[in-house]
Short mmCIF file of all heavy atoms in Angstrom, two decimals:
data_model
loop_
_atom_site.label_atom_id
_atom_site.label_comp_id
_atom_site.label_asym_id
_atom_site.label_seq_id
_atom_site.Cartn_x
_atom_site.Cartn_y
_atom_site.Cartn_z
N ALA A 138 0.85 -1.18 0.01
CA ALA A 138 -0.01 0.00 0.00
C ALA A 138 0.85 1.24 0.00
O ALA A 138 1.99 1.21 0.51
CB ALA A 138 -0.89 -0.02 1.22
N GLU A 139 0.34 2.33 -0.55
CA GLU A 139 1.09 3.58 -0.61
C GLU A 139 1.53 4.05 0.79
O GLU A 139 2.64 4.51 1.02
CB GLU A 139 0.26 4.66 -1.26
CG GLU A 139 0.08 4.54 -2.74
CD GLU A 139 1.30 4.88 -3.59
OE1 GLU A 139 2.20 5.51 -2.96
OE2 GLU A 139 1.33 4.61 -4.79
N GLU A 140 0.67 3.86 1.75
CA GLU A 140 0.98 4.31 3.15
C GLU A 140 1.39 3.12 4.01
O GLU A 140 1.05 3.06 5.14
CB GLU A 140 -0.29 5.00 3.75
CG GLU A 140 -0.78 6.18 2.98
CD GLU A 140 0.28 7.25 2.84
OE1 GLU A 140 1.01 7.47 3.82
OE2 GLU A 140 0.38 7.84 1.72
N CYS A 141 2.22 2.25 3.45
CA CYS A 141 2.70 1.08 4.22
C CYS A 141 3.73 1.44 5.26
O CYS A 141 4.29 2.60 5.24
CB CYS A 141 3.27 0.06 3.24
SG CYS A 141 4.75 0.61 2.33
N ALA A 142 4.00 0.54 6.14
CA ALA A 142 5.04 0.73 7.13
C ALA A 142 5.73 -0.60 7.35
O ALA A 142 5.08 -1.66 7.37
CB ALA A 142 4.48 1.27 8.44
N MET A 143 7.09 -0.55 7.55
CA MET A 143 7.81 -1.77 7.86
C MET A 143 8.47 -1.58 9.23
O MET A 143 9.20 -0.57 9.46
CB MET A 143 8.93 -2.01 6.82
CG MET A 143 9.77 -3.21 7.14
SD MET A 143 11.12 -3.42 5.90
CE MET A 143 12.12 -4.69 6.74
N HIS A 144 8.17 -2.49 10.17
CA HIS A 144 8.74 -2.48 11.51
C HIS A 144 9.74 -3.61 11.66
O HIS A 144 9.41 -4.79 11.46
CB HIS A 144 7.62 -2.60 12.50
CG HIS A 144 6.60 -1.52 12.51
ND1 HIS A 144 6.60 -0.47 13.42
CD2 HIS A 144 5.56 -1.30 11.69
CE1 HIS A 144 5.55 0.34 13.14
NE2 HIS A 144 4.97 -0.15 12.06
N SER A 145 10.96 -3.27 12.04
CA SER A 145 11.97 -4.31 12.25
C SER A 145 12.92 -3.83 13.41
O SER A 145 12.72 -2.74 13.94
CB SER A 145 12.79 -4.57 10.97
OG SER A 145 13.59 -3.39 10.69
N GLY A 146 13.82 -4.68 13.72
CA GLY A 146 14.73 -4.32 14.85
C GLY A 146 15.57 -3.10 14.57
O GLY A 146 16.09 -2.49 15.51
N SER A 147 15.73 -2.75 13.29
CA SER A 147 16.59 -1.59 12.93
C SER A 147 15.77 -0.32 12.81
O SER A 147 16.29 0.76 12.50
CB SER A 147 17.29 -1.85 11.64
OG SER A 147 16.40 -2.06 10.54
N GLY A 148 14.42 -0.37 13.04
CA GLY A 148 13.64 0.86 12.97
C GLY A 148 12.36 0.70 12.17
O GLY A 148 11.92 -0.43 11.81
N VAL A 149 11.76 1.82 11.82
CA VAL A 149 10.47 1.86 11.07
C VAL A 149 10.69 2.64 9.76
O VAL A 149 11.28 3.72 9.78
CB VAL A 149 9.36 2.55 11.90
CG1 VAL A 149 8.07 2.58 11.08
CG2 VAL A 149 9.19 1.84 13.22
N ARG A 150 10.23 2.01 8.66
CA ARG A 150 10.28 2.71 7.35
C ARG A 150 8.81 2.91 6.91
O ARG A 150 7.98 1.96 7.04
CB ARG A 150 11.02 1.89 6.32
CG ARG A 150 12.53 1.98 6.47
CD ARG A 150 13.06 0.94 7.42
NE ARG A 150 14.45 1.05 7.58
CZ ARG A 150 15.17 0.36 8.41
NH1 ARG A 150 14.56 -0.58 9.16
NH2 ARG A 150 16.47 0.51 8.57
N ARG A 151 8.52 4.06 6.37
CA ARG A 151 7.15 4.40 6.02
C ARG A 151 6.96 4.72 4.55
O ARG A 151 7.83 5.42 3.94
CB ARG A 151 6.62 5.55 6.85
CG ARG A 151 6.69 5.26 8.36
CD ARG A 151 5.96 6.32 9.19
NE ARG A 151 6.06 6.01 10.60
CZ ARG A 151 5.29 5.17 11.27
NH1 ARG A 151 4.37 4.47 10.62
NH2 ARG A 151 5.48 4.96 12.57
N GLY A 152 5.89 4.21 3.94
CA GLY A 152 5.56 4.56 2.57
C GLY A 152 6.44 3.87 1.56
O GLY A 152 7.45 3.23 1.89
N HIS A 153 6.06 3.99 0.31
CA HIS A 153 6.88 3.44 -0.79
C HIS A 153 8.25 3.95 -0.76
O HIS A 153 9.26 3.26 -0.97
CB HIS A 153 6.19 3.67 -2.09
CG HIS A 153 5.08 2.76 -2.40
ND1 HIS A 153 4.49 2.68 -3.69
CD2 HIS A 153 4.40 1.87 -1.59
CE1 HIS A 153 3.55 1.76 -3.66
NE2 HIS A 153 3.43 1.25 -2.44
N ALA A 154 8.43 5.28 -0.44
CA ALA A 154 9.75 5.84 -0.44
C ALA A 154 10.64 5.21 0.61
O ALA A 154 11.82 4.93 0.40
CB ALA A 154 9.68 7.37 -0.26
N GLY A 155 10.06 5.00 1.83
CA GLY A 155 10.85 4.42 2.87
C GLY A 155 11.26 2.96 2.56
O GLY A 155 12.38 2.55 2.81
N MET A 156 10.30 2.20 1.96
CA MET A 156 10.62 0.84 1.57
C MET A 156 11.70 0.79 0.47
O MET A 156 12.63 0.01 0.51
CB MET A 156 9.37 0.12 1.08
CG MET A 156 8.37 -0.15 2.13
SD MET A 156 8.94 -1.49 3.27
CE MET A 156 9.00 -2.90 2.18
N ARG A 157 11.54 1.71 -0.50
CA ARG A 157 12.52 1.78 -1.59
C ARG A 157 13.93 2.07 -1.09
O ARG A 157 14.91 1.44 -1.52
CB ARG A 157 12.02 2.85 -2.56
CG ARG A 157 12.70 2.79 -3.94
CD ARG A 157 12.10 3.86 -4.83
NE ARG A 157 10.74 3.48 -5.26
CZ ARG A 157 9.63 4.17 -4.97
NH1 ARG A 157 9.73 5.30 -4.22
NH2 ARG A 157 8.46 3.73 -5.38
N GLU A 158 14.00 3.05 -0.20
CA GLU A 158 15.34 3.41 0.38
C GLU A 158 15.92 2.25 1.15
O GLU A 158 17.13 1.96 1.03
CB GLU A 158 15.17 4.61 1.27
CG GLU A 158 16.44 5.12 1.88
CD GLU A 158 16.28 6.32 2.79
OE1 GLU A 158 15.10 6.77 2.97
OE2 GLU A 158 17.27 6.87 3.34
N PHE A 159 15.09 1.56 1.97
CA PHE A 159 15.58 0.49 2.77
C PHE A 159 16.08 -0.69 1.91
O PHE A 159 17.19 -1.21 2.13
CB PHE A 159 14.55 -0.02 3.74
CG PHE A 159 14.95 -1.27 4.48
CD1 PHE A 159 15.85 -1.24 5.51
CD2 PHE A 159 14.36 -2.50 4.07
CE1 PHE A 159 16.23 -2.42 6.14
CE2 PHE A 159 14.76 -3.67 4.75
CZ PHE A 159 15.68 -3.63 5.77
N LEU A 160 15.30 -1.07 0.97
CA LEU A 160 15.64 -2.23 0.12
C LEU A 160 16.88 -1.91 -0.75
O LEU A 160 17.70 -2.77 -0.98
CB LEU A 160 14.43 -2.65 -0.74
CG LEU A 160 13.29 -3.27 0.02
CD1 LEU A 160 12.11 -3.54 -0.94
CD2 LEU A 160 13.68 -4.51 0.79
N ALA A 161 17.00 -0.67 -1.22
CA ALA A 161 18.19 -0.30 -1.97
C ALA A 161 19.47 -0.46 -1.12
O ALA A 161 20.47 -0.93 -1.60
CB ALA A 161 18.07 1.12 -2.49
N TRP A 162 19.34 -0.08 0.14
CA TRP A 162 20.49 -0.23 1.05
C TRP A 162 20.72 -1.68 1.38
O TRP A 162 21.85 -2.18 1.28
CB TRP A 162 20.23 0.54 2.35
CG TRP A 162 21.30 0.27 3.40
CD1 TRP A 162 22.53 0.79 3.47
CD2 TRP A 162 21.13 -0.69 4.50
NE1 TRP A 162 23.16 0.29 4.59
CE2 TRP A 162 22.34 -0.63 5.20
CE3 TRP A 162 20.12 -1.49 4.93
CZ2 TRP A 162 22.56 -1.44 6.34
CZ3 TRP A 162 20.31 -2.25 6.04
CH2 TRP A 162 21.52 -2.22 6.74
N ALA A 163 19.67 -2.42 1.74
CA ALA A 163 19.82 -3.80 2.18
C ALA A 163 20.35 -4.71 1.05
O ALA A 163 21.10 -5.66 1.31
CB ALA A 163 18.50 -4.38 2.65
N HIS A 164 19.97 -4.38 -0.18
CA HIS A 164 20.33 -5.26 -1.33
C HIS A 164 21.51 -4.70 -2.14
O HIS A 164 21.74 -5.19 -3.24
CB HIS A 164 19.07 -5.47 -2.21
CG HIS A 164 17.98 -6.16 -1.51
ND1 HIS A 164 16.67 -6.15 -1.98
CD2 HIS A 164 17.92 -6.89 -0.36
CE1 HIS A 164 15.92 -6.85 -1.10
NE2 HIS A 164 16.65 -7.31 -0.17
N ASP A 165 22.17 -3.75 -1.63
CA ASP A 165 23.39 -3.21 -2.28
C ASP A 165 24.53 -4.26 -2.22
O ASP A 165 25.15 -4.41 -1.13
CB ASP A 165 23.80 -1.90 -1.66
CG ASP A 165 25.03 -1.31 -2.34
OD1 ASP A 165 25.40 -1.70 -3.44
OD2 ASP A 165 25.64 -0.44 -1.69
N GLY A 166 24.76 -5.02 -3.26
CA GLY A 166 25.83 -6.01 -3.24
C GLY A 166 25.39 -7.34 -2.57
O GLY A 166 26.22 -8.22 -2.39
N VAL A 167 24.09 -7.49 -2.29
CA VAL A 167 23.62 -8.70 -1.59
C VAL A 167 22.26 -9.10 -2.22
O VAL A 167 21.38 -8.29 -2.25
CB VAL A 167 23.47 -8.45 -0.09
CG1 VAL A 167 22.85 -9.76 0.58
CG2 VAL A 167 24.81 -8.19 0.56
N ARG A 168 22.13 -10.34 -2.68
CA ARG A 168 20.85 -10.87 -3.05
C ARG A 168 20.19 -11.54 -1.92
O ARG A 168 20.80 -12.31 -1.24
CB ARG A 168 21.03 -11.87 -4.24
CG ARG A 168 21.02 -11.25 -5.62
CD ARG A 168 19.79 -10.53 -6.01
NE ARG A 168 18.59 -11.40 -5.89
CZ ARG A 168 18.22 -12.27 -6.87
NH1 ARG A 168 18.91 -12.41 -7.97
NH2 ARG A 168 17.14 -13.00 -6.65
N GLU A 169 18.91 -11.21 -1.71
CA GLU A 169 18.16 -11.78 -0.60
C GLU A 169 17.10 -12.73 -1.15
O GLU A 169 16.25 -12.29 -1.98
CB GLU A 169 17.47 -10.62 0.18
CG GLU A 169 16.70 -11.09 1.39
CD GLU A 169 16.08 -9.87 2.16
OE1 GLU A 169 16.18 -8.75 1.67
OE2 GLU A 169 15.49 -10.18 3.24
N CYS A 170 17.10 -14.00 -0.75
CA CYS A 170 16.25 -14.99 -1.37
C CYS A 170 15.47 -15.69 -0.23
O CYS A 170 16.05 -16.54 0.51
CB CYS A 170 17.11 -16.00 -2.08
SG CYS A 170 18.02 -15.28 -3.47
N PRO A 171 14.16 -15.47 -0.15
CA PRO A 171 13.36 -16.14 0.88
C PRO A 171 13.00 -17.54 0.48
O PRO A 171 12.69 -17.89 -0.68
CB PRO A 171 12.10 -15.29 0.94
CG PRO A 171 11.99 -14.68 -0.40
CD PRO A 171 13.36 -14.51 -0.92
#
């Protein structure tokens, strides 16, 4: 959702912009495969 939020041990990210910023950092040089 546009107004989404992600809560984890490292903090809270809000909205698409927050998710985009977090995933760009988390996946910089690392592939994450569930």
Side-chain angles (χ1 to χ4, degrees):
E139 288 284 349
E140 301 302 321
C141 63
M143 176 182 172
H144 298 257
S145 68
S147 60
V149 179
R150 283 86 183 176
R151 299 191 184 279
H153 281 192
M156 289 291 294
R157 193 176 290 117
E158 181 181 3
F159 171 75
L160 292 176
W162 170 80
H164 297 164
D165 180 17
V167 176
R168 275 295 306 277
E169 182 178 6
C170 299

